[in-house]
Amino acid sequence: MSVCHFFLQGRCRYGEKCWNEHPRGGRGSGGDYQPGHQSNQSNRGGFGNRVWINPSQRSGGGGRPHPSTPSRGGVDWGGGSNGAGGGFGFSQNRFSTLNSQSNFDGGAGSGDENEKHLEAIQKDMEVWQSSGQWPFSTYSILKAPISGFVELSPEELRLEYYTRRSSGDVESYINSVQQLANQWRDRVQELRIMNPSTRVAMTAELSNPRPSGGGLFSSSSSGFSLSSSSGFQAGGFGSSLQSSATFCFSSATTGFGSSGARPGPSGFGSVGVFGSAATPATPSASAFSFTAPAAAKTSAAVSGSVAGFSFSSSSTPSASAAGLGSGFGSSTPAGGGVFGLVTGSSSGFIGGASELYTPQSELTANELKEFTAARFTLGQIPLRPPPAELLTV
Amino acid sequence: MSLFGSSSGFGSGGTGVFGSTTTDSHNPMKDVEVTSPPDDSISCLAFSPPPMPGNFLIGGSWANDVRCWEVQDNGQTVPKAQQMHTGPVLDVCWSDDGSKVFTASCDKTAKMWDLNSNQAMQIAQHEGPIRTIHWIKAPNYSCVMTGSWDKTLKFWDTRSSNPMMSLQMPERCYCADVVYPMAVVATAERGLIVYQLENQPSEFRRIDSPLKHQHRCVAIFKDKQNKPTGFALGSIEGRVAIHYINPPNPAKDNFTFKCHRSNGTNTATPQDIYAVNAIAFHPVHGTLATVGSDGRFSFWDKDARTKLKTSEQLDQPITACCFNHNGNIFAYSSSYDWSKVQTVPSHVRKTTSSCGMRLRSSSLGTRNGESGISVTMEMVSVARQGCPPSFIPGCFC
């Protein structure tokens, strides 16, 4: 029997009665809405796992027997009379690619899967750009979040505005928000266009999800967790608004994502902004982004982007320390260049070619303890880079 | 009838100043308008629980206050009392006997407000703004659960200043819901944790988020035996996920649906996508209501997977909603929710726009799919209150 291709798309009208074969395999019940006769009850209630594939996306999955799941869910629920699946979006199946007993023909190769994911990312970015939805949100296609996005809730931002307003400093709030918004726009654009270097970086990121504590991505973990591939750390802002008057989004623990491979905004941009308020409570840890060798050639651009990084006020003894972009295994001209940004700070890094690593002998006992620990402790994150000996890549 | 003594020139409750516009987008559903709403955005609403006679509505706002109204059977609302915090109030809840109200605020404290004596005392302290507060009544203990942006979840016995228990979360708490013995907390970075509350609260499971974007609101639903069995999770991306804790068939039973988007089926033009600001379940029928940044509220039946009704569009986002204990009254608040952040300068100006709260009565969300809502109470269209002088109609960018 031939395979029923409507079933594969999730819209076979005959269901069990279909003369063609309905391969079972991770697709749930497939389409079995019988228009008209049969119980209208089950029509409504038992749609099961219908993945309504956006026709525009089908081209990506064309040649494969099982279109994989990150297809966009369908239309909004109609009043129930719209029999075409009612369009409730993808279900848990989206994550089935992560299951070990994946019953997709994973033999299609992870390369294909990644392709699908990348396309889905592009589509999502397009939607995100045009829809006017909240920009400061994390985003992910698989379990782990995609790097380069800031997670802020409207309430946090609003509170920030209120506190700034009471201290008369509305301008800086507006600037901060604009900076964040620009960063977001750039990142979305980048992911949408998906030029080759982004593609490489994303593929790496997707296949090697960052180690995350407890199964949930913890943006408060140290900027140190290196993944063997691209090692981008999402710009997670730790709990914000700790000190009342500051917009200091880092409570010393955030790892800022810097897209080492692309001429995009670095996550540091935002640090600059926030450092601009009154003294941040604790200095933030630096994020070290180690670009994958393949993409290292563009890391020159990184420095460029960081130059756009400015602390708008100079009152902070902020050691929002420099992140280092260093190309592993490939020497990049600017790779050694550390973009350190400090304004009038006494204890921060100085921008320019400072060291990549601190020699172990120079570390204080506390710093050494932190570096060797599995995670950083809040408030104790060292401000200097670790010694090369401690790094495992 | 400014019992609340606010300064924004309300006049004597209800005499319309603006009533003459033909298309009243301020109250297009002609629902009962609550008198003397707060001066700034309303962040949370809660109706009194069953033991209390009558219906009392509590609303917390960004004007640092918490107000209490009595909702009478004829639909009139009577302002009763008010308490202040030193920071915007983010969440409120009632104790199970209806004698106390708990309020959580950005000033990092939570207070217990005894309605009989109209006294409020502080019962909790966090290191960051407290985002959620819930009362837990277990057979062997009762406490207040507070979730905060300092990434901790603390449980307080109201008599002591130290928490009974403090649980660490992976990220800032964004929303939570409690239906004994289950509690769900959704955090930043798409974290989702379920706690079980029997004996003492402990983490039950961490769940991979079914949504791709930031979590915004969560509400637990119950099964036919009145036991909590799953939750609805809303995100900023106009999508709600229905998730069962132990479903017989996860792939089939759990699903997501899109809501609060413009031009529903027309895929030609890009959709506008709005955040789902709050979700509430009808206590009797089990249908759910969602309110969004687009200024609409919708009722859905999650078992039949259908939409029951969507309201007309209001001129402002709807920030909070709740049902009263028997489901006869649905209250929602319309005020700015900070969602227009991309148009920064003018969005900041919005904080002066007017806020409203409305009540809708109904035998809502009945499953026979009636298109109209049957009204048990006469709907009184109260004209818009006077607005602060700086308000310019139409300046909503």
Side-chain angles (χ1 to χ4, degrees), chain A residues 74 76 94 124 151 162 219, chain B residues 40 171 174 189 210 212 258:
Chain A
D76 201 352
R94 185 150 54 85
D124 284 344
E151 172 99 312
Y162 279 40
S219 65
Chain B
D40 203 346
E171 254 290 352
Y174 276 172
E189 300 293 334
K212 286 181 178 177
K258 298 200 239 184

Side-chain angles (χ1 to χ4, degrees), chain B residues 157-360:
Chain B
D157 175 341
T158 56
R159 294 164 297 219
S160 143
S161 63
N162 285 326
M164 281 164 43
M165 178 185 277
S166 172
L167 294 175
Q168 188 66 28
M169 291 189 293
E171 254 290 352
R172 300 154 275 171
C173 171
Y174 276 172
C175 48
D177 195 13
V178 169
V179 173
Y180 185 80
M182 175 168 126
V184 172
V185 177
T187 69
E189 300 293 334
R190 297 166 58 246
L192 198 49
I193 313 173
V194 179
Y195 295 88
Q196 68 85 22
L197 304 170
E198 284 182 47
N199 282 329
Q200 65 169 20
S202 62
E203 202 177 292
F204 173 69
R205 194 187 293 170
R206 293 202 174 184
I207 301 182
D208 290 327
S209 170
L211 299 171
K212 286 181 178 177
H213 287 270
Q214 184 182 109
H215 296 156
R216 187 105 177 91
C217 50
V218 71
I220 294 179
F221 57 81
K222 301 191 272 204
D223 60 11
K224 302 269 190 302
Q225 289 79 34
N226 234 18
K227 294 207 177 335
T229 177
F231 55 89
L233 179 65
S235 81
I236 49 113
E237 186 230 348
R239 194 181 290 271
V240 173
I242 301 285
H243 189 99
Y244 289 83
I245 299 291
N246 281 321
N249 190 343
K252 279 178 75 151
D253 295 334
N254 296 334
F255 64 95
T256 69
F257 63 92
K258 298 200 239 184
C259 51
H260 298 289
R261 299 185 175 204
S262 60
N263 46 316
T265 47
N266 173 12
T267 46
T269 54
Q271 272 185 333
D272 291 323
I273 296 183
Y274 298 92
V276 181
N277 282 329
I279 303 180
F281 277 91
H282 192 283
V284 173
H285 298 302
T287 48
L288 72 131
T290 61
V291 294
S293 279
D294 54 350
R296 292 181 199 265
F297 56 85
S298 301
F299 300 109
W300 312 80
D301 181 340
K302 70 175 196 320
D303 300 314
R305 304 199 184 186
T306 57
K307 184 191 319 200
L308 297 167
K309 177 177 176 74
T310 300
S311 73
E312 294 301 316
Q313 182 157 17
L314 275 66
D315 55 357
Q316 294 193 82
I318 305 186
T319 47
C321 70
C322 71
F323 284 99
N324 76 333
H325 66 92
N326 57 11
N328 279 345
I329 310 180
F330 176 66
Y332 59 96
S333 62
S334 105
S335 46
Y336 183 49
D337 64 351
W338 223 247
S339 52
K340 292 250 182 310
V341 73
Q342 297 201 56
T343 54
V344 170
S346 44
H347 113 106
V348 154
R349 218 182 294 139
K350 271 182 184 255
T351 55
T352 56
S353 55
S354 67
C355 312
M357 286 166 55
R358 263 159 243 133
L359 302 176
R360 175 170 197 80

Side-chain angles (χ1 to χ4, degrees), chain B residues 137-158:
Chain B
K137 176 95 177 97
N140 55 336
Y141 71 95
S142 38
C143 65
V144 175
M145 177 179 98
T146 53
S148 156
W149 287 341
D150 67 356
K151 307 185 191 174
T152 61
L153 196 63
K154 296 195 180 184
F155 298 82
W156 307 83
D157 175 341
T158 56

Side-chain angles (χ1 to χ4, degrees), chain B residues 45-65:
Chain B
L45 291 173
F47 265 108
S48 54
M52 274 191 100
N55 288 306
F56 288 82
L57 178 63
I58 295 275
S61 84
W62 281 79
N64 301 0
D65 63 0

